[in-house]
Amino acid sequence: MTQASHHTGAGSAQTDRLLEMYRRMRRIRRFEERASDLYRATEIPGFLHLSIGQEASAVGACWPLGPRDGITSTHRGHGHVLAKGLDSASMMAELMGKEAGTCHGRGGSMHIADPGLGIYGANGIVGAGLPIAAGVATAAKLRAAGDVVVAFFGDGAVAQGMFHEAVNLAAVWDLPVVFLCENNHYSEFSPEAEQHRAPLSARAAGYGVEYQHVDGNDVLAVAQTMTGIVARLRAGGGPVLLEAETYRWHGHYEGDPERYRPAEEVAAAKERDPLLVARRQLDAAAADAVDEEIDKEIEAAVDWARSLPEPAPETLHDHVSAPRLPVPEPAPLPADAEIFRSMDAVRLALEHELAADPAVFVAGIDVGAGGNVFGLTRGLAQAFPGRVRDTPISESAVVGTAVGAAMAGMKPVVEIMYMDFIGVCLDMLLNQAAKLRFMTGGRASMPLVVRTQFGAGRSSGSQHSQSLEAILAHIPGLTVVMPSDPADTYGLLRAAIQDPNPVVFVENRLQYGLKGPRPPADHLIPLGRAKVVREGTDVTLVSWSRMVQDALAAAESLAGEGISVEVIDLRTITPLDRETVLASLAKTNRLVIAHEAVRDFGVGAELAALAVDEGFWHLDAPVTRVAPPPVPAPYTPSLERVWLPSRDTIAQTLRRIAAV
C-alpha cells in the first residue's frame, strides 16, 4: 500500500466513524423530537425530560464501550441509553406505557434500564446513579475482566451528597468508573453560577482523582477523550471525572415556561448544534441519507408503539419481587447440640456463603481489618482477600454500591452499623433497591442483603436505640427479617444471602451473646414464614426479635396460673405470614402483640388490622399491643425502664386479655 492510499484509507475510516456517530446522534435527536410531539398530543403520560442539544456527549462517551461495560443515567437519559445500544422501538413503547416497552411500561421515561446491555438505569432521583455506578464498577473490579462503567450526571447533581460519597468511595477503592458530568449550565431552573462555588476541576483534586474537560458538542472530541480514558481504566486505572460542556435546548421538562433564561442564549447555543458540528465534516448527501433512514426508523417505532396494548390490570403485582425457591422448615435441633452465640451465627453464616459462592462479597464501615464494631466479621477479610471490604463512612454509597453490584450479577452483603442510620441512606433502600426490579419490568436483578442492628435497654439514647422495621416494611419490594435466637440468625441470614430479592436483615445487639443450639452447616430457614415457638390454647402472643425471649418468659410464668399462651415468632416482618397468625387466632380467639418499636403506626397495628379484618369472627377480646409509647428512646435508665416493655408488662397484658 502506498503512503497516499494509506492516508486515503485512514481518512475513509475516520469518515465512516464520524458518519456512524452522526447516525447515533440523529437517532437521539429524532427520538426526542417525536417524544416532544407525542407528549404535547398526550400520547406520552408522565414527566418528560429531553436531551436535545446534548447528543454528542452521550454518543461520544459510549463510543469506546463494549456490551459488558456499564452506564448509569439520569432523568434526562434517553440519549445515553440509545447511545449504549437500546432499540428505539421498545423505548418509544415504554414512554407510551405499553406492555411491550423496554420495562413493560413500569418505568417510563425516567427509569429505562436493560442490565443485559450494560444499562443500569436512568434514575428519577438526582445523583442516585453515581453510587449505583460505583457498585457496577465494584463488580467489574472483583471479576477483573477489564470492564468499565460510565456514570452520567448533570451539573446540578454535584450538590448532592451522593456525588461526594460515590466519587470518594470510587477513589478509595480505585474503581474503573468515569464520572461524566454533562454540564448544561442549569440545575433545573437555576444557573450553574448560583449552585456552586468550586469548579469540578477543584473537586476532582480534592478527591485525588484525575480531571479532564471536553467540548461536549463535538462528538469526535468526546469520543477521542473517552477512548483514552477507557483504555487506561481497562489497564487498571482508577476513577476519572470528565466534564463535557454542553447545553440543553428545551426546558428542564416538557412544558417548562423557561422564564429563567433568555431566548438569545438558547439561540446562541443552537449555533453549536452537535449535529451541525459533525455535518460540516461529512458529505451532505451521506448525512441526508442518514437523516432519511433515521426518520423512517423513528416513525416506524412510533407506529408500532401506538398499536400496542397497555399492561393488563391483572399484571399489577408482577415484577415486585423475584420468585423464591421453596425452603422447607428444618427439623428441630437435637437436645445435645453444641452451643453457640448469635454473634457466632452471623460470622459463620457469612463465612459459609463467602466460601460457597464467589459472587458474594461483604462491605461496610470497619467490617474488614477491624472485624466489625462488635467483632462479628473478625478474620473474614484475611480468609477472603478483596471480598470483605472496608468502606468510608458513607451509608448512601455503601447501599448504592450493593444495588449496582447486585444488578451486575453479584450478591453483596453490606452493613449499616446501626439501624438508626438507615435514614442517612434511605433513598437507596426506598427508591432504588426496593423499586428497581418493578420499574424495570423485572430486568433488574436485586439479590442483596443490608445487615444492621438495633436494641434499646443500654442507655444508647434516641439515635442508637430505634426499632424502625415499620418504615422498611411499608416499602413494597423490601424483605425485612428480624431473628430471635442464634440458630434462626444463622439459617435466616444464609437464606437472605441466597435470596434473589433485597433483604434488610436486622439483628438485636443485646442478643449477640445469647446462647443456643448450633445447627448443622446446611441449616436454612424459609423467609416469609413465622414459627409457633410455644403451643397454647388461651391467647396468641405474636412477637419478633429479642422481644420473643420476653414473650416466652411471660408465657412460662402464666402457665403456672393456668393460662395457656401460644407464642409466635414472626422471624420475617415482610412478607408477613398472615396464615400462621390467623390459624393461631382461630384456635385461641385472643391476640396480643409485643414489640420493641414504638406502638403507633407500627407492625403491631398491621397485625391488629389483620385480626379485625380477616380474623374478626374469631375474636373474643380486644386486640392489644404491648410496645413503647410514641416517645424517642430515653437515655437515662430510669426513663428507659418505663419506656421499654418487659416480660412483666407483657404478662400483665396477657392476664387482662385472657380474663375477658
Side-chain angles (χ1 to χ4, degrees):
M1 181 183 290
T2 65
Q3 190 174 35
S5 64
H6 173 75
H7 284 306
T8 301
S12 175
Q14 176 78 344
T15 300
D16 290 345
R17 281 196 295 272
L18 182 57
L19 188 64
E20 177 56 29
M21 292 179 190
Y22 178 79
R23 176 179 286 105
R24 297 180 187 185
M25 290 194 297
R26 177 66 185 178
R27 179 177 291 116
I28 296 168
R29 173 69 58 86
R30 192 61 190 144
F31 183 95
E32 299 286 61
E33 289 172 346
R34 290 299 284 125
S36 180
D37 297 339
L38 294 165
Y39 181 82
R40 285 196 300 273
T42 69
E43 291 187 67
I44 290 178
F47 298 117
L48 194 66
H49 307 80
L50 301 182
S51 62
I52 294 175
Q54 301 182 186
E55 296 86 355
S57 55
V59 170
C62 292
W63 185 256
L65 302 183
R68 285 205 323 249
D69 297 317
I71 67 167
T72 61
S73 183
T74 70
H75 58 277
R76 199 178 310 283
H78 303 159
H80 307 145
V81 298
L82 284 167
K84 186 62 170 68
L86 199 57
D87 70 287
S88 55
S90 72
M91 274 186 63
M92 193 63 77
E94 182 63 28
L95 265 60
M96 291 187 182
K98 302 303 181 71
E99 175 64 39
T102 309
C103 301
H104 299 296
R106 269 67 170 184
S109 170
M110 288 191 287
H111 309 112
I112 293 175
D114 187 349
L117 292 174
I119 299 167
Y120 293 96
N123 211 298
I125 308 298
V126 173
L130 304 178
I132 293 171
V136 180
T138 300
K141 181 157 187 168
L142 288 171
R143 292 191 180 112
D147 302 335
V148 304
V149 184
V150 179
F152 290 98
F153 64 102
D155 50 286
V158 176
Q160 282 279 3
M162 286 184 284
F163 167 83
H164 160 78
E165 293 192 22
V167 176
N168 186 60
L169 177 71
V172 170
W173 281 4
D174 214 27
L175 297 177
V177 57
V178 183
F179 295 101
L180 198 158
C181 177
E182 292 180 303
N183 187 352
N184 61 26
H185 302 285
Y186 282 91
S187 303
E188 297 194 359
F189 303 163
S190 301
E192 178 189 18
E194 295 180 5
Q195 296 288 300
H196 313 288
R197 288 294 179 264
L200 273 177
S201 55
R203 294 178 186 274
Y207 296 118
V209 302
E210 179 185 345
Y211 168 84
Q212 291 197 41
H213 180 277
V214 68
D215 179 356
N217 286 359
D218 184 340
V219 70
L220 281 175
V222 178
Q224 182 178 5
T225 301
M226 278 293 294
T227 298
I229 291 172
V230 167
R232 289 199 298 281
L233 264 60
R234 292 202 199 286
V240 175
L241 188 55
L242 175 62
E243 184 173 14
E245 204 155 344
T246 183
Y247 197 87
R248 59 169 161 84
W249 293 10
H250 284 216
H252 168 57
Y253 56 88
E254 289 303 280
D256 175 1
E258 296 189 70
R259 298 189 181 94
Y260 49 89
R261 61 183 185 180
E264 304 81 51
E265 179 182 298
V266 179
K270 289 182 178 181
E271 294 177 8
R272 286 284 296 158
D273 181 347
L275 276 70
L276 291 180
V277 171
R279 247 185 179 275
R280 293 186 191 115
Q281 302 173 66
L282 292 170
D283 175 73
D288 288 344
V290 167
D291 290 352
E292 184 178 352
E293 168 199 336
I294 294 299
D295 287 353
K296 289 178 179 177
E297 174 192 321
I298 300 302
E299 285 311 305
V302 171
D303 292 342
W304 179 73
R306 275 177 172 154
S307 72
L308 299 170
E310 293 180 349
E314 58 268 23
T315 67
L316 172 63
H317 297 275
D318 291 359
H319 313 301
V320 176
S321 298
R324 289 195 160 96
L325 292 174
V327 173
E329 186 71 37
L333 298 177
D336 59 350
E338 178 187 349
I339 299 300
F340 79 151
R341 301 167 298 176
S342 288
M343 62 188 303
D344 303 321
V346 173
R347 181 180 55 79
L348 289 169
L350 292 173
E351 183 178 54
H352 189 289
E353 295 306 309
L354 282 163
D357 190 343
V360 175
F361 72 92
V362 174
I365 300 160
D366 293 326
V367 301
N372 167 275
V373 68
F374 300 103
L376 304 178
T377 58
R378 202 165 288 154
L380 293 181
Q382 293 74 29
F384 302 95
R387 292 173 58 204
V388 181
R389 307 175 70 86
D390 283 323
T391 69
I393 302 176
S394 303
E395 283 84 0
S396 288
V398 169
V399 181
T401 294
V403 170
M407 280 200 285
M410 305 298 283
K411 294 182 179 177
V413 183
V414 297
E415 179 181 298
I416 299 300
M417 191 179 291
Y418 283 77
M419 194 180 193
D420 313 73
F421 303 165
I422 64 166
V424 183
C425 59
L426 189 57
D427 175 73
M428 284 294 153
L429 289 169
L430 167 70
N431 285 318
Q432 312 303 328
K435 292 186 173 69
L436 281 175
R437 176 178 168 80
F438 180 80
M439 291 193 303
T440 62
R443 286 181 182 267
S445 180
M446 204 56 63
L448 66 88
V449 175
V450 177
R451 277 188 53 252
T452 190
Q453 54 77 30
F454 78 108
R458 296 287 174 84
S459 293
S460 297
S462 299
Q463 294 179 346
H464 286 75
S465 302
Q466 298 169 92
S467 187
L468 300 172
E469 64 270 20
I471 293 175
L472 299 171
H474 191 69
I475 302 170
L478 287 185
T479 295
V480 181
V481 177
M482 299 180 74
S484 68
D485 64 39
D488 279 6
T489 298
Y490 178 85
L492 287 166
L493 182 52
R494 285 194 59 230
I497 296 170
Q498 294 179 21
D499 197 72
N501 296 292
V503 179
V504 182
F505 191 90
V506 187
E507 301 144 17
N508 189 299
R509 67 178 172 273
L510 274 65
Q511 286 195 298
Y512 282 143
L514 180 67
K515 296 179 180 179
R518 176 173 175 169
D522 61 356
H523 189 68
L524 281 174
I525 301 287
L527 300 181
R529 290 273 299 280
K531 183 180 181 181
V532 177
V533 291
R534 180 188 175 99
E535 299 275 355
T537 56
D538 296 331
V539 185
T540 296
L541 174 58
V542 180
S543 192
W544 52 94
S545 191
R546 186 176 71 91
M547 199 65 73
V548 170
Q549 304 303 327
D550 288 332
L552 287 168
E556 181 64 28
S557 68
L558 290 183
E561 303 173 23
I563 300 173
S564 175
V565 179
E566 180 150 296
V567 180
I568 295 176
D569 180 358
L570 281 186
R571 303 193 297 193
T572 301
I573 307 304
T574 180
L576 182 63
D577 185 353
R578 291 169 167 83
E579 291 76 14
T580 297
V581 174
L582 290 170
S584 180
L585 178 59
K587 179 167 63 169
T588 68
N589 309 117
R590 290 169 173 80
L591 178 62
V592 173
I593 306 131
H595 55 76
E596 193 167 317
V598 294
R599 181 189 62 236
D600 292 17
F601 307 102
V603 177
E606 180 64 28
L607 288 163
L610 173 68
V612 298
D613 181 4
E614 298 179 44
F616 179 78
W617 300 109
H618 298 303
L619 286 171
D620 288 343
V623 179
T624 307
R625 292 167 290 167
V626 184
V631 173
Y635 165 74
T636 183
S638 63
L639 295 180
E640 191 175 36
R641 282 193 296 270
V642 175
W643 179 81
L644 191 64
S646 66
R647 62 187 63 183
D648 293 334
T649 54
I650 295 171
Q652 290 168 12
T653 302
L654 289 168
R655 285 190 195 96
R656 177 168 61 84
I657 296 302
V660 173

